[in-house]
């Protein structure tokens, strides 16, 4: 249930103590959140919240069984940008402030995200995740799947203590995550528009959890229904923009930047925005697009063949078209926030929406 940029480099690098975007433990704000670091009041709150999330995340993934412990902690320790917890905290700050329940919910969002990655990598037969070996390449498919299930269970246990509404949010999100993966696995029906089907897939696989993060943060901070629904809608839109940008990055970023082999989805035959657009162009009579499709439909088991297909797709005009579509989703996310009063947290969400479609990894 990939929604993120698979293979994100570890953002928890050592930072100078003077770096305003870094907490004392080395946790750093992702790109696009500079406004937070520059705010003398909000910055320390968010960094402390992220530090608390990281501590609780480590506690939540501690198991007495040796195999469960090492497998469950594998991807957490590989790093990640912790975007979903950060959005949970920002939604809370817009809505009334970060509290203990918000921290717990932020941990739940990251646990849920981590669990999906274990399952994703098995289904996609991915070899790398966040620059590290995928879990299934170390322990096998069964252990990787069961580890994802174990993390889902731990997330459910934590959210059960946050009240009936939070539990309902988690259950609905889990359902949407699974349905998104099911839609992707089944593919579009003969009479269904391929692009519309794909948007439905990523609304489930990516938009649902980012939306849930905003839901948790705003609701648990005491926001009214109108504010909650505004932030939920923002999460849906920015989540789709995030994944659409990832699709383009998959064929434009180098392995060194993204931490994974470019074109992984092409190799597995998974439809993405650029591949859908180039196939549409080929059907419409674009000879260059036909050549790209021919390269995509070859045996891509060798790195050479995959590289040729990736380069051809990246060079075609549909790549810019894909960026334009991602930009529109990000712009819609920003417009959704208009009814909220101005604040650094709101402006940080607007900045994030721009950042997800203006990045290289």
């Amino acid at each position: 249930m990939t929604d993120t940029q698979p293979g994100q480099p570890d953002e928890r690098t050592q930072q100078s103590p003077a770096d305003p975007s870094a907490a004392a433990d080395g946790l750093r704000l992702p790109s696009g959140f500079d406004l937070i670091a520059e705010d003398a009041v909000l910055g320390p709150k968010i960094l402390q919240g992220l530090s608390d999330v990281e501590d609780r995340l480590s506690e939540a993934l501690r198991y007495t069984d040796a195999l469960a412990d090492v497998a469950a902690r594998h991807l957490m320790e590989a790093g990640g940008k912790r975007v979903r917890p950060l959005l949970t905290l920002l939604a809370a700050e817009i809505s009334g402030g970060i509290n203990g329940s918000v921290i717990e919910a932020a941990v739940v969002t990251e646990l849920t995200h981590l669990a999906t990655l274990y399952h994703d990598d098995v289904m996609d037969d991915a070899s790398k995740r966040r620059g590290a070996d995928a879990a299934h390449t170390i322990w096998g498919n069964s252990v990787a799947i069961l580890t994802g299930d174990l993390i889902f269970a731990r997330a459910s246990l934590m959210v059960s203590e946050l009240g009936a509404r939070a539990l309902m949010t988690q259950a609905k999100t889990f359902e949407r995550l699974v349905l998104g993966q099911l839609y992707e696995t089944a593919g579009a029906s003969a009479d269904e528009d391929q692009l519309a089907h794909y948007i439905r897939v990523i609304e489930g696989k990516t938009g649902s959890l980012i939306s849930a993060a905003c839901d948790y943060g705003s609701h648990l901070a005491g926001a009214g229904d109108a504010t909650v629904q505004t932030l939920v809608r923002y999460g849906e839109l920015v989540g789709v923009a995030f994944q659409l940008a990832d699709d383009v990055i998959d064929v434009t970023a180098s392995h060194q930047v993204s931490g994974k082999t470019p074109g992984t989805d092409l190799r597995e035959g998974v439809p993405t925005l650029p591949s859908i657009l180039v196939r549409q162009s080929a059907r419409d009579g674009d000879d260059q697009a036909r050549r790209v499709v021919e390269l995509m439909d070859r045996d891509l088991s060798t790195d050479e063949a995959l590289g040729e297909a990736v380069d051809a797709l990246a060079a075609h005009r549909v790549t810019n078209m894909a960026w334009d579509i991602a930009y529109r989703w990000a712009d819609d996310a920003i417009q959704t926030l208009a009814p909220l009063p101005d604040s650094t947290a709101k402006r940080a969400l607007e900045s994030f929406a721009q950042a997800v479609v203006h990045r290289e990894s």
Side-chain angles (χ1 to χ4, degrees):
M1 302 169 189
T2 308
D3 68 337
T4 75
Q5 172 59 25
Q8 294 290 3
D10 187 354
E11 293 288 330
R12 301 183 68 217
T13 52
Q14 293 297 319
Q15 301 293 330
S16 163
D19 185 347
S21 67
D25 63 359
L27 194 66
R28 190 182 184 190
L29 292 172
S31 173
F33 291 103
D34 296 341
L35 287 171
I36 299 173
E38 295 167 1
D39 189 303
V41 176
L42 182 63
K45 280 186 182 179
I46 295 296
L47 288 171
Q48 183 60 55
L50 288 174
S51 181
D52 292 343
V53 166
E54 202 68 17
D55 290 343
R56 286 290 292 117
L57 190 60
S58 183
E59 292 172 11
L61 292 177
R62 186 173 295 119
Y63 293 91
T64 55
D65 180 83
L67 177 58
D69 187 71
V70 69
R73 299 170 71 83
H74 176 66
L75 285 183
M76 181 200 73
E77 293 176 348
K81 293 184 176 181
R82 310 295 190 247
V83 167
R84 291 154 191 82
L86 178 53
L87 292 175
T88 306
L89 300 181
L90 285 173
E93 277 300 305
I94 286 174
S95 306
I98 298 168
N99 56 43
S101 294
V102 169
I103 296 294
E104 291 294 289
V107 175
V108 166
T109 65
E110 188 67 13
L111 287 175
T112 304
H113 174 54
L114 284 170
T116 68
L117 301 185
Y118 283 84
H119 290 178
D120 264 3
D121 289 344
V122 171
M123 296 192 72
D124 297 342
D125 196 26
S127 61
K128 295 288 184 181
R129 171 69 67 176
R130 295 176 170 172
D133 292 335
H136 71 95
T137 68
I138 302 172
W139 297 287
N141 287 352
S142 294
V143 170
I145 292 170
L146 290 170
T147 300
D149 292 344
L150 192 63
I151 298 173
F152 272 128
R154 183 56 55 88
S156 298
L157 180 62
M158 292 180 65
V159 81
S160 70
E161 299 176 356
L162 297 177
R165 188 187 184 285
L167 187 57
M168 182 176 65
T169 296
Q170 181 72 359
K172 287 182 176 180
T173 301
F174 190 29
E175 180 182 53
R176 291 186 64 198
L177 286 165
V178 175
L179 283 173
Q181 186 64 61
L182 183 62
Y183 295 149
E184 180 177 83
T185 301
S189 60
D191 60 348
E192 186 176 11
D193 178 77
Q194 181 70 54
L195 183 55
H197 174 268
Y198 180 63
I199 294 297
R200 185 167 66 142
V201 167
I202 61 177
E203 283 176 336
K205 289 181 57 175
T206 306
S208 64
L209 185 52
I210 291 180
S211 176
C214 295
D215 190 328
Y216 285 137
S218 54
H219 166 67
L220 292 171
D225 186 63
T227 297
V228 172
Q229 293 308 313
T230 292
L231 289 166
V232 164
R233 182 57 180 160
Y234 165 84
E236 290 276 355
L237 294 168
V238 82
V240 173
F242 193 99
Q243 185 58 51
L244 294 177
D246 274 357
D247 286 356
V248 187
I249 290 167
D250 186 50
V251 297
T252 58
S254 68
H255 172 79
Q256 288 73 22
V257 171
S258 67
K260 72 164 189 172
T261 302
T264 299
D265 290 327
L266 279 185
R267 175 170 277 167
E268 298 304 318
V270 176
T272 62
L273 182 59
S275 66
I276 290 169
L277 293 177
V278 81
R279 289 184 188 279
Q280 288 180 343
S281 292
R283 290 193 295 270
D284 291 341
D286 183 333
D287 289 337
Q288 183 184 3
R290 287 196 185 110
R291 174 58 180 159
V292 175
V293 171
E294 289 173 1
L295 293 173
M296 288 165 44
D297 288 344
R298 294 188 306 174
D299 178 1
L300 300 180
S301 57
T302 68
D303 289 343
E304 291 77 13
L306 179 63
E308 189 175 1
V310 168
D311 290 345
L313 180 56
H316 195 275
R317 63 183 177 84
V318 296
T319 297
N320 287 333
M321 292 170 58
W323 276 125
D324 288 340
I325 292 173
Y327 295 154
R328 288 200 295 272
W329 280 85
D331 288 342
D332 287 346
I334 292 170
Q335 289 302 313
T336 297
L337 297 174
L340 299 179
D342 184 54
S343 67
T344 301
K346 175 186 173 180
R347 282 181 274 120
L349 292 180
E350 294 170 340
S351 179
F352 173 67
Q354 286 293 329
V356 298
V357 294
H358 292 91
R359 58 193 168 102
E360 296 181 353
S361 65

